[in-house]
C-alpha cells in the first residue's frame, strides 16, 4: 500500500499543485497514458486524485509489455496512470481509425507530437486531440497528431525517431485544427 501512496501523492502534487507545467519548467514533453490510452496534460487535470489508482513513470528501456508500442517516447518519458473505475466512459479513437478519417491507409505511419507510434491499434482520448496534420514528403504521407497546443510546441523541433524531412526536399503539410 505504501508503494502506491507515495507515487500517487507525488503525482498529485505535481499535477494539481504546480503553477507551471512540466513542459514549461523543464522543457520536457512526456507521453501521458491513461489506462493505456494516449492523453495530454490538460486532460489529466480533469481527473481528481480520488479517481487515480496508480501512477508509473518510465524513463528507461525496461518497459512493461503493454507499453512496448511507446518505446520511441522513452527519451521524453512516459507517465502511465491507472484509473480506479477504468475509462469506459471516456471517448477514444484508435490511430488506424484516425488514418482512415484523414483518407490515409489504416497502416500508414502515425506520429504523436512528431514521435512515431509503433502500433496503430493504440487508442487516444478524443479530448486529447488538439490538431492533426498530414505531412507529405517525397510522395509519402504521415499523420502527425498533436496533443499539445501550438503555443506549447517550442521545445518540439527535432527528435530522434520523429518525422524527418530533409530541408531540400519539397514537403507540404495540411493542418486540420481539431480543437
Amino acid at each position: 500500500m505504501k508503494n502506491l501512496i507515495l507515487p500517487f501523492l507525488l503525482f498529485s502534487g505535481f499535477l494539481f499543485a504546480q503553477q507551471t507545467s512540466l513542459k514549461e519548467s523543464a522543457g520536457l514533453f512526456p507521453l501521458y497514458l491513461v489506462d493505456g490510452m494516449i492523453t495530454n496534460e490538460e486532460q489529466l487535470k480533469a481527473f481528481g486524485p480520488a479517481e487515480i489508482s496508480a501512477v508509473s513513470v518510465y524513463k528507461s528501456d525496461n518497459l512493461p509489455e503493454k507499453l512496448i508500442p511507446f518505446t520511441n517516447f522513452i527519451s521524453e518519458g512516459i507517465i502511465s496512470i491507472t484509473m480506479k473505475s477504468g475509462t469506459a466512459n471516456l471517448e477514444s479513437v484508435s490511430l488506424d481509425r484516425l488514418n482512415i478519417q484523414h483518407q490515409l491507409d489504416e497502416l500508414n505511419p502515425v506520429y504523436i507530437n512528431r514521435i512515431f507510434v509503433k502500433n496503430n491499434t493504440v487508442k487516444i482520448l478524443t479530448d486529447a486531440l488538439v490538431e492533426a496534420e498530414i505531412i507529405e514528403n517525397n510522395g509519402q504521407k504521415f499523420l502527425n497528431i498533436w496533443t499539445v497546443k501550438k503555443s506549447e510546441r517550442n521545445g518540439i523541433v527535432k527528435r530522434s525517431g520523429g518525422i524527418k524531412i530533409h530541408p531540400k526536399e519539397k514537403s507540404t503539410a495540411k493542418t486540420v485544427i481539431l480543437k
Side-chain angles (χ1 to χ4, degrees):
M1 185 67 168
K2 287 182 182 179
N3 292 342
L4 291 176
I5 292 173
L6 181 60
F8 177 76
L9 291 174
L10 290 173
F11 181 75
S12 297
F14 159 74
L15 267 186
F16 303 109
Q18 294 292 325
Q19 291 184 0
T20 60
S21 72
L22 177 64
K23 294 186 291 283
E24 292 169 335
S25 61
L28 298 174
F29 294 85
L31 177 69
Y32 297 103
L33 300 172
V34 172
D35 290 342
M37 293 186 289
I38 299 167
T39 191
N40 60 15
E41 185 176 358
E42 187 175 319
Q43 286 307 117
L44 288 180
K45 290 178 182 177
F47 301 123
E51 299 174 86
I52 299 172
S53 173
V55 177
S56 299
V57 178
Y58 300 95
K59 192 73 174 153
S60 70
D61 289 332
N62 297 328
L63 290 175
E65 190 161 326
K66 67 180 181 177
L67 297 181
I68 295 300
F70 308 110
T71 55
N72 292 351
F73 292 85
I74 282 299
S75 63
E76 300 291 319
I78 299 171
I79 299 174
S80 180
I81 293 96
T82 304
M83 303 300 287
K84 286 181 181 175
S85 62
T87 52
N89 59 339
L90 298 175
E91 191 176 330
S92 65
V93 63
S94 64
L95 300 182
D96 56 359
R97 203 71 209 130
L98 285 173
N99 265 334
I100 292 168
Q101 289 174 6
H102 289 86
Q103 287 87 38
L104 298 171
D105 182 272
E106 65 185 286
L107 299 176
N108 196 71
V110 178
Y111 293 76
I112 300 292
N113 303 329
R114 294 198 177 162
I115 297 179
F116 177 64
V117 180
K118 293 184 175 188
N119 183 341
N120 282 5
T121 62
V122 169
K123 291 186 175 188
I124 183 169
L125 294 179
T126 54
D127 286 341
L129 296 167
V130 173
E131 187 177 315
E133 62 185 351
I134 299 171
I135 299 173
E136 185 173 345
N137 182 39
N138 227 10
Q140 187 174 9
K141 293 182 179 182
F142 305 97
L143 180 61
N144 180 58
I145 302 297
W146 289 104
T147 63
V148 293
K149 296 175 187 170
K150 218 171 221 174
S151 61
E152 299 174 325
R153 297 182 198 161
N154 293 337
I156 306 176
V157 179
K158 293 182 180 178
R159 300 173 177 215
S160 60
I163 301 172
K164 296 178 181 176
I165 298 176
H166 196 278
K168 293 181 181 177
E169 296 175 352
K170 183 181 178 186
S171 66
T172 58
K174 176 185 171 190
T175 303
V176 179
I177 305 297
L178 297 171
K179 84 186 224 192

